[in-house]
Amino acid sequence: MGGQYKITGGKYPRMRPVRRRGRVVFAAVACVTVLGVLGWGTLQLIDVFTGGDKASAAGAAGCATPAKASASPSAPVLPKPGQVTVNVLNATTRSGLAQKTADELKKRGFRVGEVSNAPAEYDKKVTGTGLLLGPAASVKTSLTLLGTQLPGAERRTEAARKGAAVDLIIGDGFKGLAKPADADAALAGLTAPQPTPTAQKKSC
């Protein structure tokens, strides 16, 4: 180079501008951040339009509470043994069975009526442990109570039957009344309030 400009010293001047690396890095980071924000916003919009039902279901599941048992006042009210009159009839070929069973029922507080052989329509025709007969009104009262003493017995009602007494007809499979403890437990299970599940509300 000539003229008034002279190069002095041992170093030559740089003819190109210095690259500013800091600005380039900053611009790259800014672009990545903007793209990330845009992508996240897009995913949120997709969730709003497609995942609403799932979110509601998840919320409902989270708010669900297990059912809690509450006592029901609808337990049956059964009569006392002393309020029930039982006719004990023997439909088997074993003699003395009706009297023995009647004596045991009396010890357990029942009133005993007729003690004899079963009528012809049932004599030697009851193959199970026994048959309990009573009027229609006794199906949930006297027959239910008597059924705790002979759990395997069949129960029937007769619409035309008069009076409140019930019959215990001993069958061929009869081996004896239930043990007093078992009968008492069965009676307690019948008269105890039955728990019913009730849902409880929970605020979310």
Side-chain angles (χ1 to χ4, degrees):
M1 299 179 64
Q4 60 180 342
Y5 298 100
K6 294 182 181 181
I7 299 173
T8 60
K11 296 182 180 180
Y12 294 93
R14 302 180 65 174
M15 304 304 294
R16 293 181 296 174
V18 179
R19 294 180 180 177
R20 298 184 179 180
R21 294 181 181 178
R23 291 183 179 179
V24 174
V25 172
F26 176 77
V29 172
C31 289
V32 171
T33 303
V34 170
L35 289 175
V37 171
L38 289 175
W40 180 81
T42 302
L43 289 176
Q44 293 300 312
L45 288 174
I46 293 173
D47 264 353
V48 168
F49 290 105
T50 62
D53 292 340
K54 293 180 180 178
S56 298
C63 295
T65 55
K68 183 179 179 181
S70 63
S72 170
S74 59
V77 179
L78 299 178
K80 302 294 184 182
Q83 299 173 318
V84 179
T85 299
V86 185
N87 300 319
V88 184
L89 310 174
N90 187 4
T92 74
T93 56
R94 292 176 284 173
S95 60
L97 201 56
Q99 187 60 58
K100 181 180 178 181
T101 303
D103 292 342
E104 182 61 29
L105 285 174
K106 188 179 294 185
K107 290 179 182 177
R108 300 185 185 190
F110 288 88
R111 298 174 60 184
V112 175
E114 180 184 356
V115 180
S116 65
N117 293 326
E121 59 181 312
Y122 298 112
D123 191 28
K124 302 180 183 64
K125 296 177 184 177
V126 180
T127 58
T129 57
L131 175 63
L132 307 182
L133 288 175
S138 67
V139 66
K140 293 183 179 180
T141 55
S142 302
L143 286 185
T144 299
L145 177 64
L146 186 58
T148 62
Q149 308 301 316
L150 193 59
E154 180 185 356
R155 302 177 195 178
R156 293 184 194 171
T157 59
E158 297 174 323
R161 186 183 181 109
K162 295 181 180 180
V166 294
D167 297 343
L168 188 160
I169 303 177
I170 300 172
D172 292 334
F174 180 82
K175 294 182 180 180
L177 297 174
K179 293 180 180 180
D182 293 338
D184 291 343
L187 179 59
L190 288 173
T191 55
Q194 300 298 314
T196 55
T198 56
Q200 286 186 328
K201 294 182 179 179
K202 180 181 178 182
S203 59
C204 299

